[in-house]
Amino acid sequence: MSASVFAVTAGLTSISAGRYAEDIKRKELLVGVCFVLIGLGFFSYIFVQTIWQLMLAQVFVGLVSAWYQPAYDALYTAHTGKKRVASLQWSLWEASNYFSIAIGALIGSIIVHYWGFTVLFACMAFLSIMSGLYLLTLPKRVV
C-alpha cells in the first residue's frame, strides 16, 4: 500500500513539476536539493511507528521524487550528444537503472539480514544526501 501512495503522489505531481522544471536554468541545483530532501525522507523511515507515519513519509518522498525527475531527465537528454544515438544512450540508462534496482535490492536484503532496517534506511539516506551535496558543489561548466 505504501508503494501505491508513493506512486500516486509522484504521478499526480509529475506534470506540474515538469512545467516548473522547464523554467529553471540550473536544473542540477534542483536535482541536488531534491536528492538531499529524498535522503531526509529515507532518514524519516527510521522513526516510523504507525502506518500513517509511513504513508506520510511516502507522500513526502513521492512529492520530492516527482520534482527532481523531469529536471534530471532534461539534464540527461542535454548530455546525450548526437540525436541519432539518443535512443541508445537512453536504453543504456534504463538498463543501468534496472540493474541498479536489482543490485540495490540484493545489498539491501543483506544489510537488513545482518544489521536491520535502521541501518538500511541510514545507508539510503546517507547515499542520497551525499549525491545531492555532490551535485550542489559541482561547478556550472561540469553539468
Side-chain angles (χ1 to χ4, degrees):
M1 186 167 154
S2 71
S4 296
V5 169
F6 167 85
V8 168
T9 302
L12 291 174
T13 309
S14 290
I15 296 170
S16 59
R19 288 182 181 158
Y20 176 77
E22 287 295 323
D23 297 329
I24 295 177
K25 292 187 183 353
R26 300 276 314 271
K27 290 175 178 45
E28 71 278 4
L29 297 179
L30 174 62
V31 174
V33 168
C34 286
F35 277 10
V36 170
L37 292 173
I38 289 170
L40 295 176
F42 291 158
F43 187 71
S44 76
Y45 292 163
I46 293 170
F47 305 102
V48 167
Q49 295 183 351
T50 69
I51 190 73
W52 298 110
Q53 291 172 336
L54 176 61
M55 297 306 155
L56 184 61
Q58 288 292 77
V59 166
F60 178 76
V61 174
L63 284 170
V64 179
S65 294
W67 277 99
Y68 97 83
Q69 197 65 51
Y72 183 92
D73 290 349
L75 284 169
Y76 187 83
T77 300
H79 290 87
T80 56
K82 300 177 183 175
K83 290 192 184 263
R84 64 185 194 126
V85 296
S87 294
L88 173 63
Q89 290 180 342
W90 270 106
S91 68
L92 293 172
W93 161 250
E94 293 299 333
S96 68
N97 190 39
Y98 289 125
F99 293 138
S100 296
I101 291 169
I103 293 167
L106 177 63
I107 293 171
S109 66
I110 292 169
I111 291 171
V112 168
H113 178 75
Y114 288 104
W115 299 288
F117 279 100
T118 300
V119 173
L120 174 66
F121 297 148
C123 289
M124 291 166 50
F126 176 79
L127 291 171
S128 185
I129 291 169
M130 290 298 105
S131 296
L133 293 176
Y134 174 74
L135 282 174
L136 292 171
T137 60
L138 284 176
K140 182 179 176 181
R141 61 182 165 70
V142 174
V143 271

